[in-house]
Amino acid sequence: LTEQLYLTDSYRKELTAIVESVTEAYVVLDRTIFYPRGGGQPSDRGYLNSKRGRVEITDVQKEAGEIRHFFTGAAPLVGEELSGMIDWELRYAHMRHHTALHILCGAVYRLFGSTITGSQIYSDRARIDFRLEDLDRDRVSKIVDLANSVVREGREVSQMYVSREEAMSMSELIRVDPKLIPDEPVLRIVEIKGFDAQLDGGTHVANTAEVGKISVSKVQNKGKSNKRLEIVLERPSINTLL
Ligand SMILES: [Zn+2]
């Protein structure tokens, strides 16, 4: 499988890679920084330069054990080296919204013991579904207040690889039924220091301060014990980032 550079360095914006295979629709590389859609996070976009010209990458999907970069333009050649960039503004928006959702996961669990049933990330908003019977105005503000305190605290966000046994011993922190922990020898965990840890394959900011202030833009009932929050983010002030 293609080496997935975004898993260990989500801030990497430029790539050089070798074409392993190509069709009229997509190209497979030996390594990539392009995130393939999955886990509620949309795919990256960007471009790659080949000898035959520039191709725009419009979608990236993991399928049949391959990471397929769908392109428009003249197909690159097998074996040639391509160089290119991801659309960083789009990716960074996905990173900030993804980390915001993990903060909210931690908040609803700490406050009400709620577990997550679904989530979706966009570049300008995100939503999260969780199990909770009663969600009133007071509870919504408790969730948002706790989440924003985690943003203000500027907690470190990091990814680590642990053995399945280690993940089992962390199952309380990652809140997954040990039976649901994937049967793989090594698992990736994204941790918000001292607050939350989850099995995750997405890209995140390095510090919760980069998320910016979280506001709730929509509250929805999705069934008796299933609630949905949609959130939007304020751009963090430059002072927070320095
Ligand atoms: Zn996630």
Side-chain angles (χ1 to χ4, degrees), residues 39 98 102 121 198-202 204:
H98 200 154
H102 283 215
I121 293 156
Q198 289 180 46
L199 295 171
D200 194 80
H204 290 264

Coordinates of all heavy atoms in Angstrom, one line a residue, residues 39 98 102 121 198-202 204, ligand 1:
G39 N -13.8 8.1 7.5 CA -13.9 8.5 8.9 C -14.6 9.9 9.1 O -14.3 10.5 10.1
H98 N -11.9 18.6 12.5 CA -11.8 17.2 13.0 C -11.4 17.2 14.5 O -12.0 16.5 15.3 CB -10.8 16.4 12.1 CG -11.0 14.9 12.3 ND1 -10.6 14.0 11.3 CD2 -11.5 14.1 13.3 CE1 -10.9 12.8 11.7 NE2 -11.4 12.8 12.9
H102 N -13.3 15.8 18.1 CA -12.8 15.0 19.1 C -12.9 15.7 20.5 O -13.1 15.0 21.5 CB -11.3 14.6 18.8 CG -11.1 13.6 17.8 ND1 -10.1 12.6 17.9 CD2 -11.9 13.3 16.7 CE1 -10.2 11.8 16.8 NE2 -11.3 12.2 16.1
I121 N -17.4 15.9 8.7 CA -16.6 17.1 8.7 C -16.8 17.8 7.3 O -16.8 17.1 6.3 CB -15.1 16.7 8.9 CG1 -14.9 16.2 10.3 CG2 -14.2 17.9 8.7 CD1 -13.8 15.3 10.5
Q198 N -8.7 8.6 20.9 CA -9.5 7.8 20.0 C -8.8 7.1 19.0 O -7.8 7.6 18.5 CB -10.5 8.7 19.3 CG -11.6 9.3 20.2 CD -12.6 10.2 19.5 OE1 -13.0 9.8 18.4 NE2 -12.8 11.3 20.1
L199 N -9.2 5.9 18.6 CA -8.7 5.2 17.4 C -9.1 6.0 16.3 O -10.3 6.4 16.1 CB -9.4 3.8 17.3 CG -9.1 2.8 18.4 CD1 -9.9 1.6 18.2 CD2 -7.6 2.4 18.4
D200 N -8.2 6.4 15.4 CA -8.5 7.4 14.4 C -7.5 7.4 13.2 O -6.3 7.2 13.5 CB -8.5 8.8 15.0 CG -9.1 9.8 14.1 OD1 -10.4 9.9 14.1 OD2 -8.4 10.6 13.5
G201 N -8.0 7.6 12.0 CA -7.1 7.6 10.9 C -7.0 9.0 10.2 O -6.5 9.1 9.1
G202 N -7.5 10.0 10.9 CA -7.7 11.3 10.3 C -6.5 12.3 10.6 O -5.5 11.9 11.2
H204 N -5.1 15.9 12.1 CA -5.5 16.8 13.2 C -4.5 18.0 13.4 O -3.3 17.8 12.9 CB -5.5 16.0 14.5 CG -6.7 15.1 14.6 ND1 -7.9 15.4 15.2 CD2 -6.9 13.9 14.1 CE1 -8.8 14.4 15.1 NE2 -8.2 13.5 14.4
Ligands
ZN1 ZN -11.7 11.3 14.3

